[in-house]
Amino acid sequence: MNNSLANTARLLGAGLRALLVLTLVTGVIYPLLVTGIAQGLFGDKANGSEIEADGKVVGSSLIGQAYNLPLEKGQQTPEPDLKWFQGRPQNGLGANSVNTRYKLILSGATNRSADNKDLIDWVTAAKAAVVEDNSTADYKVSPSAVPADAVTSSGSGLDPDISPQYADIQVHRIAEKNGLSVARVQKLVDEHTDGRTLGFIGEPRVNVLELNIALKALLAKG
């Protein structure tokens, strides 16, 4: 009987030591090691790819932001602030979902088929709005020049980037609204256009937040 109790005690002691060692290794040492490596080698990504402006964090390069005017009384949907470059449409899950205006409660796509009437009507209206908003007195946007990313949301609804084509058709409007030359605004877009990753992965892109921060800095210089 005493031997049985002693064996049980030894087994419990061994189990407790194993639990403590595993807790220390997997719950303390490993997380600290991984965190240290991430901070040392990939600090920017590990911290959320933050973007700073005027000495403070204003967003992430991985998540889009809305540039809208304040809601007026009785208004349900804000109007875009056309002084700034606009990103992709923000209704990733539809206008009545929680994923509107880049709120991060939920993300996802509309999952509507290409022949869905609601989607077709929405894209048609969105294209007309893009043409109207970006046409100026001396520059008219052709409907055929409007790229797909100007009228459709991304799979997540949170895409921070737009195509160079969509940025380009906004240049004249940005120049007119801010009293800048078209050439200067176009140069700003060109400076913030990133090519394909490693030269062959993905598509050229423009980060809207970074571009608008640069635009704000340019306007501050007068």
Side-chain angles (χ1 to χ4, degrees):
M1 186 70 175
N2 289 337
N3 288 338
S4 177
L5 289 174
N7 288 334
T8 301
R10 283 195 296 272
L11 290 173
L12 287 174
L16 181 59
R17 288 192 296 274
L19 175 62
L20 292 175
V21 169
L22 288 172
T23 300
L24 179 64
V25 171
T26 62
V28 179
I29 296 176
Y30 178 73
L32 287 176
L33 179 63
V34 171
T35 300
I37 292 174
Q39 289 292 332
L41 300 179
F42 313 102
D44 176 63
K45 292 181 174 61
N47 291 324
S49 300
E50 296 172 337
I51 295 179
E52 293 188 1
D54 301 323
K56 62 181 180 180
V57 175
V58 295
S60 168
S61 63
L62 303 177
I63 299 172
Q65 291 191 21
Y67 290 88
N68 294 326
L69 296 169
L71 279 172
E72 297 181 359
K73 186 176 181 180
Q75 194 177 33
Q76 297 296 319
T77 303
E79 296 292 330
D81 188 343
L82 298 179
K83 294 186 303 182
W84 305 103
F85 284 94
Q86 296 294 313
R88 297 187 67 165
Q90 303 152 23
N91 57 333
L93 292 174
N96 296 322
S97 76
V98 293
N99 184 35
T100 56
R101 295 178 292 283
Y102 294 120
K103 293 181 179 179
L104 301 182
I105 300 173
L106 187 63
S107 66
T110 59
N111 290 327
R112 293 187 176 99
S113 64
D115 61 352
N116 179 273
K117 184 180 183 303
D118 290 339
L119 179 61
I120 292 172
D121 290 345
W122 194 92
V123 168
T124 301
K127 177 176 285 191
V130 169
V131 170
E132 180 181 359
D133 288 346
N134 292 286
S135 293
T136 65
D138 58 355
Y139 174 77
K140 301 301 178 184
V141 177
S142 168
S144 62
V146 178
D149 62 298
V151 296
T152 58
S153 60
S154 62
S156 67
L158 305 174
D159 194 346
D161 302 323
I162 57 175
S163 66
Q165 292 78 13
Y166 187 25
D168 287 344
I169 65 174
Q170 299 185 60
V171 165
H172 285 76
R173 184 249 300 164
I174 293 293
E176 183 180 79
K177 295 288 185 181
N178 292 286
L180 297 169
S181 70
V182 170
R184 187 64 190 90
V185 178
Q186 185 63 61
K187 185 173 184 292
L188 202 66
V189 170
D190 294 341
E191 291 171 346
H192 288 81
T193 299
D194 295 320
R196 292 180 173 87
T197 303
L198 300 179
F200 65 95
I201 299 175
E203 295 294 332
R205 62 202 179 278
V206 182
N207 187 283
V208 178
L209 175 56
E210 293 177 349
L211 180 58
N212 278 330
I213 289 173
L215 174 60
K216 182 179 179 181
L218 178 63
L219 294 172
K221 292 179 181 179

